[in-house]
Amino acid sequence: MRRTSTSAPPRAAAPAPSSGSSGTFGSSASSGSFGGEAEGGGMRTEFAFRLPRGYVDDAGTVHRDGVMRLATARDELVPLRDDRVRENSAYLSVVLISRVVTRIGAVDDIHPGVIEDLFASDLAFLQDFYRRINAEGHTRAAVTCPSCQEEFAVDLAGGRLGES
């Protein structure tokens, strides 16, 4: 059962990308930061995505556009009590992703079974997407060159969001 916070309603998700932009992120800030403010000054808590391959439901329909919300501390703690995670730690990402993805196409009842049925490339995409939006909006780290001692930022994930 999905628990929701009663403190503040979630912000509307950014529009999903057009069908011609397979695997790319929708309307994010052009600077590459993904955890900033939403229109109207509030904090942005939901992010649109497009799966590289898509979730295929029982009827054979492919669902690609979805929404992921920011994770809470509870989202990261509750799966640790799940028996499936205790038996196999690799299952943690399946349970965690199922808690924060709110919709894939017309499917809005996202549970671990849905995530299990994703293609491996789509699960990897969602894991990367999760890391990017929950790590303060970016995957950049400050580094210092060991030779010249110059400081600069490096994107640890590489590429633009959604690209392979």
Side-chain angles (χ1 to χ4, degrees):
M1 180 166 96
R2 187 182 306 266
R3 300 186 76 175
T4 57
S5 170
T6 58
S7 60
R11 298 269 183 227
S18 66
S19 60
S21 58
S22 175
T24 60
F25 186 72
S27 58
S28 64
S30 61
S31 67
S33 177
F34 304 104
E37 293 185 6
E39 291 181 34
M43 186 166 125
R44 186 169 172 198
T45 61
E46 292 188 333
F47 299 82
F49 62 82
R50 173 169 280 221
L51 295 173
R53 297 196 188 273
Y55 169 68
V56 182
D57 65 18
D58 293 336
T61 304
V62 179
H63 305 270
R64 293 183 66 202
D65 297 324
V67 176
M68 182 183 288
R69 65 174 174 76
L70 288 176
T72 64
R74 180 182 309 265
D75 290 323
E76 295 204 349
L77 293 171
V78 168
L80 299 175
R81 296 190 308 238
D82 189 302
D83 289 335
R84 297 167 295 189
V85 173
R86 288 182 179 176
E87 291 176 18
N88 180 359
S89 61
Y91 201 73
L92 174 63
S93 66
V94 170
V95 176
L96 183 55
I97 295 296
S98 73
R99 290 182 61 86
V100 297
V101 171
T102 59
R103 179 181 61 78
I104 300 174
V107 181
D108 58 6
D109 179 22
I110 307 299
H111 51 81
V114 170
I115 303 304
E116 287 174 353
D117 288 341
L118 290 173
F119 293 104
S121 59
D122 287 334
L123 178 58
F125 171 85
L126 290 175
Q127 290 168 330
D128 180 56
F129 193 69
Y130 176 91
R131 281 189 292 273
R132 288 181 183 222
I133 69 171
N134 285 288
E136 297 197 27
H138 59 80
T139 55
R140 291 182 298 271
V143 296
T144 303
C145 175
S147 298
C148 67
Q149 303 304 317
E150 182 177 343
E151 294 182 9
F152 56 95
V154 173
D155 186 351
L156 300 175
R160 289 188 353 227
L161 187 59
E163 289 186 346
S164 300

